[in-house]
Amino acid sequence: MMRSHPTGHDAPVMTAASSTLPGDASVSTNKTVFPRLTAMMLLEFVVFGSWFATLGLVLATNGLPAIIANAYLLAAVAAIVSPMFLGALGDRFMSSQKVLGVAHFAGGALMLFLPGAVQAGNGNLVLVLVFAYMLFFMPTLGLSNSIAFRHLGNRQDLFPYIRVFGTLGWVIAGLFVGALGLSASPSIFYVTAVASFAFGLYAFTLPATPPPAKGVKFSIGDVIGAKAFQLLRHRNFVVFMICATLTSIGLAIYNAFSSPYLGALGIENVAGVLAIGQASEVLFIMTIPWVLKKIGMKWALLAGMFMWGVRFALFIAAAGDQHWLAILAIALHGICSDFFLVVGAMYIDQVSPVELTAQAQSMLILVISGLGAVIGTFLSGQIFGSTVAANPTAGPEAWAPLWLLPVGTAILTAIIWIAFFRHSRHQDVKRFEAAPAI
């Protein structure tokens, strides 16, 4: 969960280019800082990728398919409430790298209890543990970004080269879990626990990152990005947020059910196959500047959002004997993720007034990881329960109604985007004006 730092009359505006850190802690003056930040990002996503991608497969294989949707639903709820639970600690009271370390130690400890809960078939305990774990983990995504930006100072342009190591970390974790044959095993949680403890130790060696808002009055409005609501006065922003919500419904369904579906198709090494998607992210993220130059922001975003529907259509087609189509759908993840999530964040950064950029980014994350994810997991859980779970002996064809939902939302998204988003590819993206202070 990306954290938004307070902005307004009672706090200084923090930007990615500003720095309150000692000179020797900046990437511009200390060449060891950059590799330390890349290692941080890699380990962050080794932890995440070691279990989240195949959680659904583990639950389906171990007699708990009925709670798959609820597990991912609770993860989405944690994405909404976790900043209030832990994120403010790193903003106001403790150095960010220490909060990062403590959170991963706590998460690793919780992971140690999950294998036993799954093997015992205790679905309620599994859900409680997943929710508790995500309360600790979700803020670390934003903390890692925050630490990186603080130490980059005026070299914000280097951030994509740090962030790409997060994708590599997810790939490495997936390949490792798959190579060990643990894709469907509760033992993946032990792998996550070990990775969490290792990262927790490493976090304490990161460059000191003092709390940027120490002494600032806590405001729930800052946490949820309330000041960014004024951007809803602009039609393009409203259209983007609606389309982001619709697209994130498909993202939530993919996160929850792609791994058990690959298992239902009889595909071996599910974790390794899913890692193909993250590997494609590494390739496509490098093409973003070229694509934006050639087709512009509007059509790049449309490509990212509509391709979610294409990949689920491939899932439907793969139910026969064409299982390779499912692998192709996984490989499209680079387009779907980079041209939706990354380009979307770039769009928000370009159009938001400087004093509202952080809050607007927080609002986007809440829409994608919170609102859209809640809707997607709830609806898909209902469909899965009435089709696949209700008939365990049914083949992959029984999954078609589940995949039709994101195909439909992708078509609806494309119609709304083309009809209502007004922006020429030859037109520069301009910042919206902030509403005058009252």
Side-chain angles (χ1 to χ4, degrees):
M1 182 77 178
M2 188 177 294
R3 287 284 302 138
S4 60
H5 299 305
T7 59
H9 300 295
D10 58 351
V13 175
M14 294 292 298
T15 68
S18 65
S19 176
T20 59
L21 300 168
D24 60 359
S26 168
V27 72
S28 299
T29 56
N30 189 332
K31 295 187 182 299
T32 68
V33 171
F34 184 83
R36 292 163 73 186
L37 295 178
T38 60
M40 172 193 70
M41 198 64 70
L42 184 142
L43 289 171
E44 173 76 18
F45 282 86
V46 164
V47 172
F48 201 15
S50 62
W51 75 281
F52 195 71
T54 58
L55 171 64
L57 179 63
V58 171
L59 297 177
T61 306
N62 290 272
L64 295 171
I67 70 167
I68 294 175
N70 287 337
Y72 284 93
L73 176 62
L74 287 173
V77 173
I80 297 174
V81 303
S82 58
M84 290 178 281
F85 179 76
L86 185 64
L89 198 62
D91 270 354
R92 291 168 171 79
F93 306 112
M94 288 178 62
S95 295
S96 295
Q97 82 280 2
K98 293 180 180 178
V99 178
L100 193 66
V102 169
H104 278 283
F105 279 132
L110 288 167
M111 277 286 162
L112 293 175
F113 294 96
L114 265 168
V118 172
Q119 291 166 347
N122 191 337
N124 290 332
L125 180 57
V126 170
L127 293 175
V128 169
L129 289 171
V130 167
F131 181 65
Y133 174 84
M134 292 303 274
L135 285 175
F136 283 103
F137 178 81
M138 276 297 182
T140 69
L141 294 172
L143 282 171
S144 297
N145 287 343
S146 176
I147 290 170
F149 277 121
R150 291 282 300 283
H151 292 279
L152 285 176
N154 60 4
R155 292 304 311 273
Q156 182 185 355
D157 58 304
L158 294 177
F159 181 73
Y161 301 103
I162 292 175
R163 178 57 181 82
V164 76
F165 277 84
T167 300
L168 289 174
W170 187 290
V171 172
I172 291 170
L175 293 175
F176 180 74
V177 168
L180 292 179
L182 301 178
S183 296
S185 171
S187 295
I188 62 170
F189 303 121
Y190 290 129
V191 175
T192 305
V194 172
S196 296
F197 293 141
F199 186 27
L201 288 173
Y202 177 74
F204 282 92
T205 73
L206 289 168
T209 313
K214 187 175 182 179
V216 174
K217 183 179 179 181
F218 179 78
S219 168
I220 292 180
D222 288 328
V223 172
I224 66 173
K227 293 185 178 70
F229 289 154
Q230 64 177 269
L231 297 177
L232 296 175
R233 298 181 299 117
H234 302 277
R235 180 177 64 178
N236 276 357
F237 190 84
V238 173
V239 172
F240 175 71
M241 284 298 177
I242 291 173
C243 290
T245 302
L246 290 171
T247 303
S248 59
I249 290 173
L251 172 60
I253 296 172
Y254 178 83
N255 286 338
F257 292 105
S258 59
S259 63
Y261 182 61
L262 294 180
L265 291 174
I267 293 176
E268 301 291 337
N269 190 2
V270 171
V273 171
L274 288 173
I276 294 173
Q278 276 63 47
S280 73
E281 279 192 61
V282 177
L283 298 176
F284 280 103
I285 199 171
M286 305 298 182
T287 71
I288 288 177
W290 180 83
V291 171
L292 289 176
K293 182 178 179 180
K294 291 297 182 181
I295 66 175
M297 183 70 73
K298 175 178 180 177
W299 301 106
L301 281 167
L302 176 63
M305 294 186 289
F306 185 70
M307 287 303 292
W308 281 95
V310 173
R311 75 187 317 192
F312 287 114
L314 290 173
F315 270 2
I316 295 173
D321 295 328
Q322 306 296 319
H323 293 176
W324 63 273
L325 290 174
I327 299 177
L328 176 60
I330 299 298
L332 291 177
H333 191 68
I335 300 176
C336 297
S337 179
D338 292 336
F339 289 95
F340 169 48
L341 298 175
V342 178
V343 176
M346 292 173 66
Y347 173 74
I348 289 292
D349 183 69
Q350 290 180 24
V351 301
S352 303
V354 174
E355 65 272 24
L356 296 178
T357 299
Q359 297 234 11
Q361 293 285 0
S362 178
M363 185 177 180
L364 176 62
I365 297 300
L366 282 171
V367 163
I368 294 173
S369 298
L371 178 60
V374 167
I375 295 172
T377 50
F378 175 77
L379 294 178
S380 61
Q382 297 299 309
I383 297 172
F384 180 81
S386 62
T387 55
V388 180
N391 188 8
T393 61
E397 292 80 6
W399 291 72
L402 178 64
W403 306 136
L404 285 172
L405 173 60
V407 170
T409 57
I411 294 173
L412 178 60
T413 298
I415 294 172
I416 294 174
W417 189 255
I418 294 172
F420 298 105
F421 189 87
R422 296 284 186 263
H423 183 75
S424 168
R425 74 183 184 92
H426 302 294
Q427 179 184 3
D428 292 334
V429 177
K430 297 181 180 179
R431 290 191 185 276
F432 300 134
E433 293 183 3
I438 299 175

